[in-house]
Amino acid sequence: MTSYTFSRELRLLTPAQFKSVFTDPKKASSAEITLLAIPNGLPHPRIGLTVAKRHVKRANQRNRVKRIIRESFRQNQHAMPDIDIVVLVRGGVLELDNAQLRTLVDKLWRKLSRRFNG
């Protein structure tokens, strides 16, 4: 049975792991969200989230955005190539409701997967 957990090994944890993604990444972006990714050499994808206070002022709003993105990643992780992904969120994300945000993120996962798979 396929596991859909979001364990520690599926996260980018250290500044060095984040920094490595910023060197020559492949991108998938919209007006509100940008995904940067590089191959990671592991048997699974990993994700790191950056939601800046400058763009999303209130903590509860930042947490909502991160929660939706993590949940989408958790459910789509097995369809993704083995890459490290950094998610950059811009201010326009607050105009999206939960369903719109989820749809947008799902679309960006697919776009990024196509960039790596062919």
Side-chain angles (χ1 to χ4, degrees):
M1 189 170 114
T2 307
S3 169
Y4 285 96
T5 61
F6 186 65
S7 64
R8 196 170 165 83
E9 66 188 16
L10 296 176
R11 299 178 206 159
L12 296 177
L13 299 170
T14 66
Q17 290 171 336
F18 274 85
K19 194 173 181 182
S20 70
V21 176
F22 286 99
T23 57
D24 194 34
K26 291 190 181 182
K27 297 178 183 174
S29 63
S30 70
E32 300 85 5
I33 297 173
T34 299
L35 304 181
L36 306 175
I38 59 167
N40 66 10
L42 298 170
H44 53 79
R46 294 189 302 181
I47 186 173
L49 297 166
T50 58
V51 183
K53 272 187 193 176
R54 183 175 57 159
H55 297 304
V56 183
K57 300 275 189 256
R58 303 181 66 149
N60 65 329
Q61 295 169 333
R62 288 193 302 275
N63 291 340
R64 174 184 72 93
V65 170
K66 290 190 283 189
R67 187 173 54 247
I68 292 167
I69 294 170
R70 275 195 306 263
E71 179 65 11
S72 174
F73 175 80
R74 187 183 70 79
Q75 292 178 346
N76 289 295
Q77 64 185 325
H78 299 293
M80 289 189 213
D82 300 334
I83 54 179
D84 283 349
I85 305 165
V86 171
V87 180
L88 303 170
V89 176
R90 292 191 206 79
V93 79
L94 293 178
E95 276 80 62
L96 302 175
D97 64 23
N98 290 0
Q100 291 171 320
L101 179 57
R102 177 63 191 258
T103 303
L104 173 65
V105 174
D106 287 347
K107 187 175 95 177
L108 289 173
W109 296 141
R110 287 192 299 276
K111 187 189 282 189
L112 196 60
S113 293
R114 281 196 305 272
R115 298 245 158 97
F116 279 92
N117 291 335

